[in-house]
Amino acid sequence: MRYILRTFEKYGAPKPSSCVIFVYSTIVGLCSGFLYLYSSWVPNFASHLKLTPAETGYLTIMFSAGSTVGGIIVGHIIDSFGTETGTLVGGVLTIISHLILRFFYIHEVKNVVVISIFIGISAFAAIGPEFAAMKAMSSTFPENKGLATSCVVGAFALGALVFSTVFGRMDTPNLLLAIGLGNGFILSAGVFFVRELDINEIYEMIDSPEEYPGDSTSSSLINSPCYRDIDNNYDTFNPGYNTATESPSITDENSESNKKTSSELHETSIHYRASMSVDSTSQVETIANNLDIVNPQPQFFIDRVNYKLKEFTDGLIFQIFSSRLFFLTFLSLAFLVSVGQTYIFSVGYVVQNQYFNPDYSYTISQQDYQNAQVKIFSFCNFAGRFASGYFSDILVSRFQVQRLWNITICVCLLFLAQVLLTQLNNLDHLYIISLITGFAFGIIYGTFPPTVSDYYSSTVYSTVWGTVTIGPMVTNAILTRYFSYNMEKNGNFDDELQQFVCYEGVDCYKNTFYMTQGFCICGLVIVLYTIWYKKHILKDKVFT
């Protein structure tokens, strides 16, 4: 798809400007936010088909799998075939999955396996365009990647609020039709507007002389830190370096680094390599300034800086996945994201259980309460993503500290919300929990994407980000199954209401949220260790 579009552009088709990329990437993020409407329509969908809590739990597990395990697939697709392909695939699958789910609802087809598969596909369809938009924004605006990506993930979170307002009064079949056709076609159109700059386009932004400096430039480039591993071994992909005739000049800084253990050298070397490929104008200019090159000739840098980029990327992926920092990031997301996802899944059932609590009576309908929680969570999720993305840029640029300090605030808020879920027994107070959980959940997705972008080149960004997001699938499956178990244990099927109901209020589900409190504590310990590890073990300017 990328090749086809570039061919059209070569023969005169217009290219999207950075402004167009920004606007449409934000729109794509918004339209991908239909993912968070899950808790609004699935309880009604399950009740209509008379699904038990256990069967509904399978739907949620597949929903989580589609948005997590699917991240590896869609990340590789985007890194290999371009952001355009990611948006197109997501748009087409959105149309197909929602129309099929609508068919099952109308004709009351109770096939849990097939329904689960298409719910998983619908979740997969949402994250593809979002990942593509995040990568496009990160590469187009490298100096403000935290703020740029927060616009996409913030719009993604705001999607539930927008669509629950626009589609709020629709019944389930019309809601599925509106999401499938409306959102699906808008996402598919992103193939023309959501794109990252090619390396050749980056060099076109720099004035180039007819000739470039001679051999002395080659020598200085070879000896630059960008081409030297921390243990003074020259990169095997570096063209032009002849070990028989040239020898490195070892600086005091590098001599000091030799005191590190072999595992520390390997870990730091991975991230030196990960940051080597040029993916922004500022990086080109930085390298040129370091080498005292004025107006670098494009072909020179293409040959030197991104030599054999495909081979480099393939080797790099394996090294990244085996590194300790990747594992810590993976675990952090596994524990913290699953807490927020569990609330997204369970809030509809929390409303349902509280609504039928005989100790209280309500004048507002159950559906209105559910929609209200979705809107509150969505808006606070958006606010948390946008604020944390902007604040993380300030932490890095002004205070020179790690973005992950945002997450410590997030964990404290998440823990507070889990405690309240085990105490509050009135729907009129549930909005407090939705507000806190939504904002904390937003901090996670406003902070981790630019953090991962700091660690690794945009060449492998989507693959790495898609992989670390599969962690919550396992932990969320554990929490979901435990929630379903508690529901079945404390409730029963009401023949009059024709749905599964628990009349015990907070006692129906509070054990689940005791477990999520433990997850919060585990997440906090891992994040604090990661901050320490980056500061004291990986002593390198690549890590901010």
Side-chain angles (χ1 to χ4, degrees), residues 408-450:
T408 60
I409 300 173
C410 156
V411 177
C412 294
L413 292 174
L414 272 181
F415 186 82
L416 173 62
Q418 307 317 297
V419 172
L420 291 176
L421 273 167
T422 63
Q423 302 297 322
L424 298 182
N425 202 25
N426 190 324
L427 274 182
D428 293 333
H429 299 146
L430 188 60
Y431 75 92
I432 299 173
I433 300 172
S434 296
L435 187 152
I436 296 173
T437 307
F439 190 80
F441 194 65
I443 293 176
I444 297 175
Y445 281 102
T447 302
F448 272 105

Side-chain angles (χ1 to χ4, degrees), residues 233-489:
N233 293 324
Y234 285 83
D235 193 288
T236 55
F237 299 113
N238 176 24
Y241 175 66
N242 187 336
T243 57
T245 60
E246 299 183 29
S247 60
S249 57
I250 303 177
T251 65
D252 291 339
E253 178 184 354
N254 288 324
S255 297
E256 182 68 22
S257 69
N258 281 329
K259 297 178 182 178
K260 296 182 179 181
T261 65
S262 59
S263 62
E264 292 166 7
L265 290 172
H266 173 70
E267 180 84 11
T268 310
S269 174
I270 289 172
H271 299 287
Y272 259 102
R273 291 169 182 266
S275 63
M276 277 168 42
S277 66
V278 176
D279 55 16
S280 72
T281 306
S282 62
Q283 288 177 316
V284 174
E285 293 171 341
T286 299
I287 293 174
N289 292 333
N290 290 340
L291 303 179
D292 297 323
I293 301 174
V294 180
N295 295 325
Q297 203 272 348
Q299 191 58 47
F300 172 78
F301 270 87
I302 294 173
D303 292 341
R304 293 286 184 179
V305 181
N306 284 337
Y307 180 74
K308 296 182 73 176
L309 184 58
K310 180 65 169 65
E311 290 84 350
F312 170 76
T313 300
D314 291 343
L316 177 65
I317 288 295
F318 176 77
Q319 290 182 312
I320 289 173
F321 288 172
S322 61
S323 68
R324 189 187 307 181
L325 186 62
F326 173 85
F327 183 66
L328 291 171
T329 306
F330 184 92
L331 285 180
S332 300
L333 284 168
F335 281 109
L336 299 179
V337 171
S338 62
V339 175
Q341 286 183 340
T342 299
Y343 184 75
I344 293 172
F345 156 69
S346 65
V347 67
Y349 295 98
V350 169
V351 170
Q352 186 180 78
N353 293 335
Q354 293 286 0
Y355 195 81
F356 292 109
N357 186 345
D359 295 334
Y360 298 92
S361 60
Y362 303 98
T363 57
I364 303 176
S365 70
Q366 176 186 336
Q367 184 65 41
D368 287 339
Y369 269 114
Q370 288 176 335
N371 289 336
Q373 303 313 313
V374 170
K375 291 177 182 178
I376 293 170
F377 183 93
S378 177
F379 179 78
C380 294
N381 190 5
F382 157 75
R385 292 180 184 222
F386 187 82
S388 61
Y390 176 70
F391 187 65
S392 72
D393 280 343
I394 295 177
L395 288 177
V396 171
S397 61
R398 183 174 302 178
F399 299 104
Q400 302 296 307
V401 297
Q402 300 174 38
R403 298 181 195 268
L404 282 182
W405 283 110
N406 273 353
I407 303 300
T408 60
I409 300 173
C410 156
V411 177
C412 294
L413 292 174
L414 272 181
F415 186 82
L416 173 62
Q418 307 317 297
V419 172
L420 291 176
L421 273 167
T422 63
Q423 302 297 322
L424 298 182
N425 202 25
N426 190 324
L427 274 182
D428 293 333
H429 299 146
L430 188 60
Y431 75 92
I432 299 173
I433 300 172
S434 296
L435 187 152
I436 296 173
T437 307
F439 190 80
F441 194 65
I443 293 176
I444 297 175
Y445 281 102
T447 302
F448 272 105
T451 300
V452 171
S453 181
D454 286 341
Y455 300 164
Y456 311 111
S457 165
S458 66
T459 307
V460 295
Y461 170 76
S462 294
T463 302
V464 174
W465 175 246
T467 305
V468 296
T469 56
I470 72 170
M473 187 195 72
V474 177
T475 48
N476 188 49
I478 294 172
L479 292 172
T480 298
R481 294 297 300 158
Y482 190 53
F483 182 87
S484 300
Y485 165 78
N486 283 308
M487 288 284 293
E488 288 192 340
K489 177 182 176 182

Side-chain angles (χ1 to χ4, degrees), residues 10-29:
K10 183 178 180 181
Y11 290 98
K15 300 178 182 179
S17 64
S18 58
C19 181
V20 171
I21 293 173
F22 175 84
V23 171
Y24 209 86
S25 293
T26 305
I27 293 173
V28 164

